[in-house]
Structure formats: C-alpha cells, structure tokens
Amino acid sequence: MLSRVADSLYWMSRYLERAEHTARVLDVNRHGLLDQKTDVTQKRWTRVLRSLRVDLPDAAPSNLARTVALDPALPDSIVRCVAAARQNAREVREEISSEMWEQINRLHLFVRAQQSGDDWENQAHGFFHKVKHGSHLFQGLTDSTMSHNEGWQFIQLGRYLERVAATVNLLDAHVNMAALSNGNGRALPSHSQQDWAGLLKSCTALEAYSRVHTANIQPDRAVEFLLLDAAFPHSVRFGSTMVERALDALADGAPTLKHSDLLRTAGRLTSATRFYDLSEMIYEGLPSHLDQIRGRCERIHQGVYDTFITYTVEFAVSD
C-alpha cells in the first residue's frame, strides 16, 4: 500500500474517533452541569478541557461547549476534526466504499451547517447526538462494506489508538483534578457519585459497568472497568488489544516487522493492562501508570510513521 494512502486512512479514522469522543464528553458534561453552582461548573469544565487537551483559559463557561464544538480555529474542535476526516477520505476515495464516502460527506455538511445556527442552547444535544450517531454509522459501514484488508487495518489502528489515548486522558484528568484522599497519590479521589457516573457515561460505559458491578458506582471499580476490562470496547485493555491485532495483521505482509520495536511497544501497551491489577497501579501511583500508557501510545504513533509512512529507502529495500 502507498504510504500516502496508509496515512490518509489512519488519520481519517483518528479524526472521526476524536470528533465522536469530544461530542460525547461535551454532551455528558453539559447536561450534568445544568443548574449547578458556578464554582462546581468551573471546576468540572476545567477537568473536561484537561481531558480533551484543549486550552481555553479566557473562555466563559457558558460558551465552552459551543467553542470546542464549532470553532474552526481550534485544532481539535468537532467541526475541524470532521473536516479533516472528510479531507483524508477524499484523498483516498478509491480505497473506501461509496457508502462510507456518502456518510462522511453527510456528517461534514451537517456539522458545517451548524456554525451559522443561532439557537445553540436548544440545539446542542441534538448536534452532539448526530455527530455520535454519524460516526458510529460510518464505523459500521466501514466494517460491512470495505474489504478487511491492509487499508481496513490502518483504519482499525487509527480508531483504537485514538480511543486508548482519549480514555487515558479522561482517567488522568479525573484522578488529578481532586486531592487524593490520603494525600500521597496512592488512593482514588473522593468525587461525588455524579462525577463518577459522568466519567462512565463519557466512555459509554455506565450501562455496561452496571451489568457487571450493579448501579452502585464505586471509584475503584469504575477505574478498573475503564482500564482493565477485556470485553468493553472503550476500555484501555480492549483498545490496546485491537491496536496490537491490527499491527500483527499489517506485519503479516511485512515479515521484517515481526520482531520490530513497533510490535514490541504494542505488546508492552497490552501487557500494561493484561498483567497488572488496579491495586498495584494505585500503590505504585496511578497517574504514573497512565503516563506510561500515554507514552507508549505516542511511541506507537511514531513507530507507525517510521515504519509505514515516512520510512527510508533502505528500510523499504530491506523489506
């Protein structure tokens, strides 16, 4: 596969996953902050922006959701991410199905049309719902109308690498934005039930968590579920496993990658959630474990570029 094609498929998937995640987090927290006190609202929006890696120090809390959703000047706004995903899809139009192309165009046109709307407060929930639904529909069309070949694997790789990083950022912001209960970094913060429910909802995990642990949300179980559950699609462990599988499949067509640093890093990412338990992570410092996982995601991203996209002539010849 041409490196430009791999690059576009990978980023198309990452940008669309980022837009869906941002829409979900904004919708959950915007709804949860209705009728809350000003100090509670400010604190929670600070946590939201930290989890999304967005810096808006001068924005008013009442306008934050609209800014992150619709500001084309903000690098990771929803409108900017959807436009970038659509542009990458256009560059590989011959590699994706007609259904995929039509869906990403519909989503792009819908999001762009909302920038001129005046009644944001009444339309916000519907906007976020349509972004989430549009992204899920695109993912379903990808799986059902596209051959599960090398290109599909790059889409899977982008989707799940982005998802792992997003979940880790959410957990990191949630753990670090409150004083830890025993003051030494070896306990979980004592947020309210509403905060923990909001964290689970931000990962579409509240119902799945409740089926496993009941609706009584306990902080250690909530964090453990989002980090270590093997079956839930938005857990770090599940996403890490899917990243490793995609890279293994790509390596089948490139034998020299079988024992590469890229695959070893992916294996370590999976092992970080497969062989640890939460009590060990908390005792050793949960934020440091989250930093390690985030660092491995960044190394995998760089390894993907070095191996498949910006590789040297010598590497291509050796393969």
Side-chain angles (χ1 to χ4, degrees):
M1 173 173 285
L2 294 175
S3 59
R4 69 164 184 85
V5 174
D7 189 34
S8 291
L9 291 172
Y10 173 77
W11 275 111
M12 175 191 73
S13 187
R14 287 203 70 156
Y15 277 126
L16 203 56
E17 180 70 22
R18 191 174 301 176
E20 190 272 343
H21 173 80
T22 302
R24 185 169 5 96
V25 170
L26 291 176
D27 194 25
V28 167
N29 285 279
R30 181 181 172 279
H31 184 267
L33 286 172
L34 295 176
D35 299 323
Q36 292 287 338
K37 295 179 180 178
T38 302
D39 58 335
V40 174
T41 299
Q42 184 63 57
K43 181 178 178 181
R44 192 156 174 178
W45 274 121
T46 299
R47 189 165 66 222
V48 169
L49 295 178
R50 176 173 177 158
S51 75
L52 296 174
R53 295 298 192 258
V54 172
D55 185 20
L56 290 171
D58 300 324
S62 59
N63 201 40
L64 282 173
R66 181 179 183 133
T67 300
V68 179
L70 298 176
D71 188 350
L74 193 66
D76 289 329
S77 67
I78 292 173
V79 67
R80 184 91 169 254
C81 286
V82 171
R86 191 257 184 192
Q87 177 61 26
N88 277 284
R90 190 179 71 83
E91 291 174 1
V92 288
R93 176 65 188 86
E94 70 284 359
E95 298 290 332
I96 64 176
S97 69
S98 296
E99 291 87 351
M100 293 167 64
W101 174 241
E102 290 168 4
Q103 172 56 24
I104 203 165
N105 265 309
R106 279 194 294 268
L107 181 59
H108 171 64
L109 291 172
F110 165 75
V111 170
R112 191 172 64 177
Q114 305 311 302
Q115 291 179 275
S116 58
D118 296 326
D119 192 16
W120 168 255
E121 287 303 316
N122 291 325
Q123 296 176 357
H125 177 67
F127 170 80
F128 294 134
H129 174 76
K130 288 185 178 180
V131 171
K132 292 183 288 180
H133 180 77
S135 175
H136 297 160
L137 182 54
F138 182 84
Q139 291 174 5
L141 289 168
T142 299
D143 291 344
S144 62
T145 66
M146 185 177 180
S147 294
H148 289 202
N149 54 15
E150 196 175 17
W152 184 82
Q153 296 295 349
F154 276 107
I155 293 174
Q156 296 295 102
L157 177 60
R159 177 191 303 173
Y160 284 103
L161 192 59
E162 181 70 29
R163 189 174 294 183
V164 169
T167 302
V168 167
N169 288 339
L170 263 176
L171 285 166
D172 187 48
H174 207 84
V175 168
N176 279 308
M177 283 306 296
L180 300 183
S181 60
N182 64 0
N184 64 6
R186 292 183 177 177
L188 294 174
S190 54
H191 296 309
S192 68
Q193 282 279 305
Q194 184 183 21
D195 284 330
W196 288 110
L199 173 64
L200 290 168
K201 286 180 180 178
S202 294
C203 297
T204 69
L206 182 59
E207 292 181 1
Y209 169 90
S210 298
R211 292 188 184 101
V212 176
H213 296 296
T214 77
N216 180 24
I217 302 173
Q218 298 183 23
D220 57 340
R221 288 182 175 178
V223 173
E224 183 177 45
F225 188 79
L226 293 177
L227 269 176
L228 307 179
D229 190 84
F232 182 64
H234 282 268
S235 77
V236 173
R237 179 175 174 180
F238 186 97
S240 301
T241 301
M242 298 302 290
V243 167
E244 188 176 20
R245 286 181 184 176
L247 287 171
D248 281 338
L250 290 169
D252 286 341
T256 57
L257 295 178
K258 282 294 185 182
H259 303 289
S260 68
D261 287 341
L262 175 57
L263 290 187
R264 280 192 287 270
T265 303
R268 292 188 186 103
L269 177 63
T270 305
S271 297
T273 54
R274 182 180 296 169
F275 300 114
Y276 269 93
D277 61 38
L278 185 64
S279 60
E280 288 180 282
M281 289 182 167
I282 292 175
Y283 182 78
E284 295 173 3
L286 184 57
S288 67
H289 275 279
L290 296 175
D291 282 341
Q292 288 176 15
I293 294 171
R294 185 163 41 234
R296 285 176 180 142
C297 287
E298 292 169 357
R299 287 194 291 276
I300 289 172
H301 168 74
Q302 187 58 53
V304 168
Y305 259 70
D306 293 342
T307 304
F308 297 107
I309 298 168
T310 60
Y311 54 80
T312 63
V313 174
E314 291 79 6
F315 182 89
V317 170
S318 68
D319 190 40

